[in-house]
């Protein structure tokens, strides 16, 4: 038995990957539950924020959030596309165990535990505003079935392509907007609501941000959990290929200060979206301070996967993946590694940075510990020791694992500085593994599997152990 095998087996027993028993809320004040705001961008790259190296686009609010909070440099999305990534975020299970593992016809089941259910049971008022997109086609009340008291926004991921939709969903029912959409974009129910508007009056992201602010206002006197799931800077893929009225796949009401830039119109729209994201994060933080809730609220910001190349936008135009290889739908670092900023004045040290390897599966155990709840099954670890400045107490992942069924199927594992990737696994049993040393090669340019065959083989065996067949969809 190789040393790596022994280490991995020991990690399984010691870390109890599928059974993290959390006993108390170590960092919350006795008898007082902190508010939680989790803000999720849609297809924002690791390199799209100034505090992560962006040099052209300006993100002053998020940069300030990082300066007054903690910036994670090795944080990973649950998947490389939206539905499975959100499933990992909500359920704390990686894609080898999660219910939803692709943008396919899968849905959460009534018995699936979510972070919202845990916090709801702990006495939190819970809301999701923005893009649900957890499998498809979900019923209109799907968020309510899984722990959210209130919802406003898009249920279907394809509906969320359209930034000027004819309707949004409020608490399980459609609410009409003033926009009108070209009728030839009607689709079956699994893609209902998608399309391109020719009459644009109500910009959905503005409505959604107002709903987020109103929820905070209405629940300022009770513990609350707000999942603010933006649909920016995702593209309207339909508009990107539509030449009528000079449609722009990066749909915004106006181009603002970018109108005069000598850039393609899609890139102007993308820049404007990033600006809106930044502004809206600032609005959330400002309102918390105005209501006297700043020191009582943990605010986290991340993105559901790497940057997209859709709707006419190009990943390399603003270097959205930074120094990383790949983009959305890749299991290279550029498709999976995402920005993550945590802000909690008086609790999280200002200007702090962590290189802890972490992922979306960690949200559930972290929030559970804050709320003093016990979690039966999770692939995550609580990040509270790191957030509260006690890194010596922090449990660590023995590995992170992903599988993705599109494009012939692929899977990847990160353990320490080793990163292994397999492609075309659905059609080529025993497909070779690419192996990278991320400490020396963060851009994954040099496949060293030939030099370290034993390590590659051990990682492949561990990936085999990390997959469990889904019990239905």
């Amino acid at each position: 038995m190789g040393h790596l095998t022994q280490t991995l087996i020991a990690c399984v027993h010691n870390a109890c990957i599928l059974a993290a028993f959390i006993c108390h809320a170590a960092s919350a004040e006795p008898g007082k539950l902190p508010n939680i705001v989790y803000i999720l961008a849609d297809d924002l790259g690791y390199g799209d924020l100034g505090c992560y190296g962006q040099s052209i686009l300006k993100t002053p609010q998020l940069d300030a959030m990082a300066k007054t909070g903690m910036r994670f440099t090795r944080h990973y999305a649950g998947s490389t596309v939206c539905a499975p990534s959100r499933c990992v975020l909500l359920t704390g299970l990686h894609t080898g165990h999660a219910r939803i593992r692709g943008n396919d016809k899968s849905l959460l089941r009534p018995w699936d535990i979510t972070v919202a259910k845990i916090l709801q049971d702990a006495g939190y008022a819970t809301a999701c505003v923005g893009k649900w997109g957890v499998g498809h086609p979900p019923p209109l009340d799907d968020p309510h079935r899984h722990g959210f008291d209130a919802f406003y926004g898009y249920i279907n991921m394809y509906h969320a392509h359209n930034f000027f939709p004819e309707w949004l969903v409020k608490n399980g029912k459609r609410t009409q907007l003033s926009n009108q959409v070209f009728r030839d974009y009607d689709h079956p129910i699994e893609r209902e609501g998608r399309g391109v508007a020719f009459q644009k009056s109500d910009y959905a992201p503005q409505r959604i941000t107002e709903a987020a602010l109103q929820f905070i206002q209405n629940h300022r006197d009770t513990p609350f959990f707000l999942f603010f799931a933006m649909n920016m800077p995702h593209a309207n893929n339909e508009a990107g290929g539509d030449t009528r009225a000079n449609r722009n796949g990066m749909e915004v009401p106006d181009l603002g200060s970018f109108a005069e830039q000598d850039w393609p119109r899609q890139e102007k729209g993308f820049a404007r979206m990033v600006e809106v994201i930044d502004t809206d994060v600032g609005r959330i933080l400002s309102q918390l301070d105005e209501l006297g809730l700043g020191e009582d609220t943990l605010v986290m910001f991340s993105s559901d996967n790497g940057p997209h190349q859709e709707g006419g936008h190009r990943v390399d135009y603003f270097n959205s993946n930074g120094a990383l290889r790949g983009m959305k739908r890749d299991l290279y670092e550029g498709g999976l590694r995402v920005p993550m900023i945590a802000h909690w004045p008086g609790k999280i040290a200002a200007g702090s940075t962590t290189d802890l390897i972490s992922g979306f599966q960690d949200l559930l155990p972290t929030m559970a510990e804050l709320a003093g709840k016990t979690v039966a099954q999770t692939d995550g670890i609580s990040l509270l020791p790191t957030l509260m400045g006690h890194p010596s107490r922090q449990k660590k992942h023995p590995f992170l694992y992903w599988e993705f069924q599109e494009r012939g199927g692929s899977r990847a594992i990160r353990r320490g500085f080793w990163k292994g990737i397999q492609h075309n696994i659905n059609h080529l049993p025993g497909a070779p593994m690419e192996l990278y040393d991320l400490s020396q090669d963060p851009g994954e340019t040099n496949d060293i599997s030939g030099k370290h065959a034993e390590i590659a083989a051990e990682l492949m065996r561990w990936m085999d152990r990390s997959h469990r067949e889904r019990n239905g969809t």
Side-chain angles (χ1 to χ4, degrees):
M1 181 181 294
H3 175 71
L4 184 58
T5 299
Q6 293 176 328
T7 303
L8 288 171
I9 292 174
C11 286
V12 172
H13 292 294
N14 294 337
C16 297
I17 297 305
L18 293 177
F21 296 98
I22 301 168
C23 299
H24 63 285
S27 300
E29 291 183 35
K32 185 175 183 180
L33 295 173
N35 305 312
I36 302 163
V37 178
Y38 188 91
I39 306 173
L40 186 69
D42 194 352
D43 293 359
L44 186 78
Y46 188 82
D48 279 327
L49 306 182
C51 52
Y52 283 87
Q54 176 58 231
S55 60
I56 301 174
L57 306 178
K58 306 302 180 185
T59 54
Q61 301 298 328
L62 283 159
D63 295 349
M65 183 179 171
K67 287 181 181 178
T68 55
M70 177 176 288
R71 187 171 62 92
F72 284 66
T73 62
R74 295 178 181 174
H75 190 70
Y76 289 87
S79 183
T80 188
V81 293
C82 65
S85 194
R86 290 157 198 266
C87 181
V88 173
L89 183 73
L90 290 170
T91 66
L93 300 174
H94 65 57
T95 46
H97 299 145
R99 177 78 59 193
I100 299 165
R101 305 183 189 186
N103 285 344
D104 56 22
K105 295 181 183 296
S106 303
L107 294 172
L108 293 175
R109 295 304 190 191
W111 53 86
D112 290 329
I113 302 301
T114 68
V115 62
K117 281 185 176 179
I118 290 171
L119 294 177
Q120 192 179 56
D121 290 346
Y124 278 79
T126 60
C128 175
V129 299
K131 172 181 172 180
W132 179 245
V134 185
H136 81 91
L140 294 185
D141 65 345
D142 205 42
H144 297 272
R145 300 183 186 197
H146 299 290
F148 288 99
D149 302 316
F151 177 84
Y152 182 72
Y154 306 91
I155 293 293
N156 191 299
M157 71 179 79
Y158 291 101
H159 186 200
H161 286 192
N162 190 352
F163 289 77
F164 294 92
E166 293 178 302
W167 48 272
L168 290 172
V169 176
K170 182 177 182 180
N171 298 332
K173 297 182 180 180
R174 292 187 183 189
T175 59
Q176 292 300 126
L177 301 178
S178 300
N179 307 312
Q180 294 186 47
V181 173
F182 288 112
R183 291 269 61 86
D184 57 325
Y185 278 102
D186 283 345
H187 285 264
I189 187 171
E190 67 267 17
R191 297 191 176 190
E192 64 179 349
R194 69 184 289 183
V196 179
F198 63 87
Q199 178 175 307
K200 299 182 176 183
S201 302
D202 295 318
Y203 191 54
Q206 292 176 342
R207 291 290 193 98
I208 289 165
T209 299
E210 292 300 326
L213 294 168
Q214 189 63 55
F215 176 79
I216 294 172
Q217 176 72 28
N218 292 347
H219 295 85
R220 60 190 181 277
D221 296 324
T222 187
F224 62 81
F225 168 52
L226 172 62
F227 178 26
F228 184 7
M230 299 175 168
N231 65 326
M232 295 183 292
H234 199 291
N236 185 331
N237 296 342
E238 294 80 58
D242 193 324
T243 58
R244 288 173 291 190
N246 197 30
R247 297 300 174 197
N248 185 348
M250 305 305 300
E251 288 191 311
V252 288
D254 61 74
L255 297 174
S257 62
F258 304 106
E260 302 305 316
Q261 292 286 349
D262 185 22
W263 300 341
R265 60 191 175 91
Q266 292 90 347
E267 306 306 346
K268 296 177 185 180
F270 180 86
R272 184 74 169 111
M273 280 190 174
V274 172
E275 184 177 59
V276 171
I277 291 170
D278 187 68
T279 299
D280 286 351
V281 170
R283 293 178 69 189
I284 295 290
L285 294 173
S286 293
Q287 186 184 47
L288 290 170
D289 288 340
E290 290 167 6
L291 295 174
L293 300 176
E295 294 187 358
D296 298 323
T297 306
L298 169 61
V299 183
M300 305 175 82
F301 176 89
S302 193
S303 175
D304 66 345
N305 45 248
H308 71 76
Q309 189 155 278
E310 300 168 351
H313 168 62
R314 302 290 300 178
V315 166
D316 59 358
Y317 199 85
F318 298 113
N319 196 25
S320 289
N321 55 5
L324 306 178
R325 177 182 178 180
M327 64 184 85
K328 179 180 179 178
R329 295 189 178 85
D330 291 329
L331 293 185
Y332 294 110
E333 294 288 285
L336 293 169
R337 199 189 300 195
V338 290
M340 209 279 267
I341 304 169
H343 176 270
W344 193 357
K347 300 291 194 303
I348 296 176
S352 52
T353 300
T354 179
D355 62 359
L356 177 71
I357 296 172
S358 57
F360 274 21
Q361 55 266 50
D362 300 332
L363 179 70
L364 183 144
T366 302
M367 299 303 101
E369 185 171 5
L370 268 178
K373 303 295 287 187
T374 298
V375 179
Q377 289 189 326
T378 180
D379 292 314
I381 55 175
S382 172
L383 301 178
L384 274 188
T386 292
L387 294 172
M388 299 296 102
H390 305 293
S392 62
R393 304 177 193 170
Q394 179 64 62
K395 291 183 179 179
K396 296 183 180 180
H397 283 285
F399 69 96
L400 294 181
Y401 172 77
W402 304 266
E403 57 185 59
F404 183 54
Q405 294 304 313
E406 296 181 22
R407 299 179 174 180
S410 55
R411 59 181 186 170
I413 186 169
R414 173 167 184 167
R415 182 181 184 276
F417 53 78
W418 294 112
K419 174 78 174 290
I421 306 175
Q422 273 186 297
H423 303 288
N424 203 31
I425 59 175
N426 294 341
H427 306 294
L428 184 62
M433 173 183 282
E434 297 175 11
L435 181 68
Y436 300 98
D437 177 352
L438 296 179
S439 68
Q440 303 297 318
D441 182 23
E444 295 168 295
T445 60
N446 184 23
D447 176 9
I448 55 175
S449 57
K451 297 179 180 179
H452 299 279
E454 181 182 353
I455 291 173
E458 293 285 356
L459 290 179
M460 191 174 295
R461 284 192 286 271
W462 188 246
M463 289 199 294
D464 291 340
R465 301 185 192 109
S466 300
H467 172 81
R468 182 173 63 223
E469 292 298 324
R470 286 188 288 186
N471 182 18
T473 58

